[in-house]
Amino acid sequence: MIVQENIIDNKEIRTACLDGIIEIAKKDDKVCFIDTDLVASSGSGVFQKAFPKRFFNIGIMEAEAISMAAGLGVTGYKCFVHSFAPFASRRCFDQAAVSSAYTDIPIVILGTDPGITTAYNGGTHTTFEDIAMFRSLSNTKVFDICDSVQMYAIIKELGQNMKGLNYVRFARRPSRKIYQDEMSFEIGKGIMIREGIDICIFASGAMVSQALDTADILKSQGKSVRVIDLFTILPIDKDIIIKAAKECKHLVALDNHNIRGGLGSAIAEVLVAHHPVKLQQIGAESFGQVATFAQLLDIFAWTGDKLAKKILKAI
């Protein structure tokens, strides 16, 4: 079920996203796609070609895109809305909160290139706040996707059973292949990718690959490392967190997000309430920068070797 080799996925996550939406749209004529002048970036032109009457490119107007999706939702339509993650979160948060979460109108917001996966687009396009924002809303689900297999499965599930507000963040470009094709995923349940008892690393999205690199390095130094993918950040899988806290000696949370309000904060809330133990939080503590993804991993000290040194120092 899990690919434990360092190979690049032959399918981009954005392609898997559109494949899933189109598959649903073939069976459900209420499925729509709204893009914000980013058709080339999202790849949504394939949906436009397949379903021209259910595709809308409304320009650089993210707040209006959410309002439009909510309006269509009132009449029974199910809308996927895309923009880059900062604009799919910061710029339209009030519309998402009031027009979808509060009113229980189903929408799926697709936020691409979150955190440092935005690379050359720099600090203005780097969102280290989106998880914290959407995680604060009731009647909302928040996802951080790591590869194309996971993306396809989650999009199909959300499209077939769309309820409330859903925020899905993911990198558009090729990623490391984590899961075997056809693997199933349960919303709200984490996945233990590797077993171990000395250290447990929680990660999601782009940081799952970094967690595996780190686990390899720590294993070479005699450490038994558990790696858990918490791709659903809201609702969070309390059981897998508590179990890890009871069985592992040291817990680490990796965030491609600000350490305030991200995955680590969600885990810390569970630990405080159910099994208080120390949690090492690693994530952004500044704004983004302009560089390649590989350079940004080094700048933020999120490469496997630098993460391993941080973890060993904290033990």
Side-chain angles (χ1 to χ4, degrees):
M1 296 174 66
I2 297 171
V3 176
Q4 300 231 4
E5 299 174 5
N6 191 6
I7 60 173
I8 298 297
D9 200 341
N10 60 12
K11 177 180 281 190
E12 292 185 338
I13 302 179
R14 62 179 171 181
T15 302
C17 178
L18 267 298
D19 286 351
I21 296 171
I22 289 172
E23 188 68 24
I24 301 161
K26 289 178 180 175
K27 303 172 183 174
D28 186 347
D29 62 7
K30 295 295 186 182
V31 173
C32 301
F33 196 102
I34 302 174
D35 217 327
T36 54
D37 203 32
L38 291 169
V39 176
S41 298
S42 67
S44 60
V46 295
F47 186 96
Q48 181 181 23
K49 185 177 180 180
F51 308 101
K53 293 184 178 179
R54 288 189 267 154
F55 177 84
F56 309 95
N57 180 5
I58 68 165
I60 309 172
M61 299 193 296
E62 291 81 9
E64 288 78 4
I66 299 299
S67 297
M68 181 178 175
L72 288 167
V74 170
T75 62
Y77 284 93
K78 304 171 183 176
C79 292
F80 291 84
V81 183
H82 167 259
S83 189
F84 291 145
F87 313 126
S89 55
R90 299 196 300 251
R91 190 142 309 176
C92 57
F93 185 66
D94 187 58
Q95 282 74 17
V98 176
S99 299
S100 177
Y102 177 68
T103 52
D104 196 21
I105 294 174
I107 296 176
V108 176
I109 300 177
L110 304 169
T112 51
D113 294 348
I116 66 169
T117 61
T118 193
Y120 276 125
N121 285 326
T124 58
H125 287 53
T126 303
T127 174
F128 285 148
E129 314 83 9
D130 54 334
I131 293 174
M133 295 172 69
F134 284 109
R135 203 170 67 80
S136 70
L137 294 175
S138 300
N139 200 26
T140 299
K141 293 186 282 293
V142 178
F143 304 90
D144 193 13
I145 302 297
C146 70
D147 78 353
S148 66
V149 176
Q150 190 174 68
M151 186 77 214
Y152 181 76
I154 295 302
I155 284 295
K156 285 197 69 175
E157 175 62 27
L158 292 179
Q160 291 165 354
N161 301 290
M162 195 181 295
K163 297 177 182 177
L165 177 62
N166 303 275
Y167 177 67
V168 185
R169 72 193 310 253
F170 60 99
R172 289 178 294 138
R173 299 177 180 84
S175 61
R176 178 174 180 167
K177 189 172 179 64
I178 305 295
Y179 298 109
Q180 294 279 8
D181 296 338
E182 310 297 333
M183 180 167 169
S184 60
F185 299 85
E186 183 177 354
I187 291 175
K189 289 295 181 183
I191 299 171
M192 185 163 65
I193 299 175
R194 290 190 186 175
E195 297 183 7
I197 57 171
D198 292 329
I199 300 165
C200 176
I201 304 177
F202 298 101
S204 63
M207 298 305 280
V208 172
S209 178
Q210 302 313 114
L212 291 171
D213 287 347
T214 306
D216 286 339
I217 294 170
L218 292 171
K219 182 180 178 182
S220 70
Q221 299 184 33
K223 301 296 184 184
S224 170
V225 183
R226 183 177 303 188
V227 176
I228 294 176
D229 174 12
L230 286 171
F231 67 94
T232 311
I233 300 176
L234 181 67
I236 196 84
D237 186 347
K238 296 178 182 177
D239 293 339
I240 202 169
I241 295 170
I242 295 168
K243 187 172 189 294
K246 291 179 177 178
E247 296 177 349
C248 300
K249 300 171 186 172
H250 186 74
L251 304 184
V252 183
L254 300 185
D255 255 308
N256 177 25
H257 185 278
N258 197 304
I259 59 170
R260 297 180 295 276
L263 174 66
S265 294
I267 295 168
E269 290 166 9
V270 174
L271 294 175
V272 167
H274 299 281
H275 191 79
V277 295
K278 181 180 177 181
L279 172 70
Q280 183 182 5
Q281 287 186 253
I282 299 175
E285 298 183 65
S286 63
F287 288 105
Q289 300 183 41
V290 179
T292 67
F293 177 67
Q295 289 169 335
L296 288 170
L297 284 175
D298 187 59
I299 291 169
F300 282 89
W302 294 347
T303 58
D305 58 340
K306 290 188 176 182
L307 287 170
K309 288 178 182 176
K310 281 187 183 180
I311 293 169
L312 290 173
K313 187 177 180 180
I315 293 176

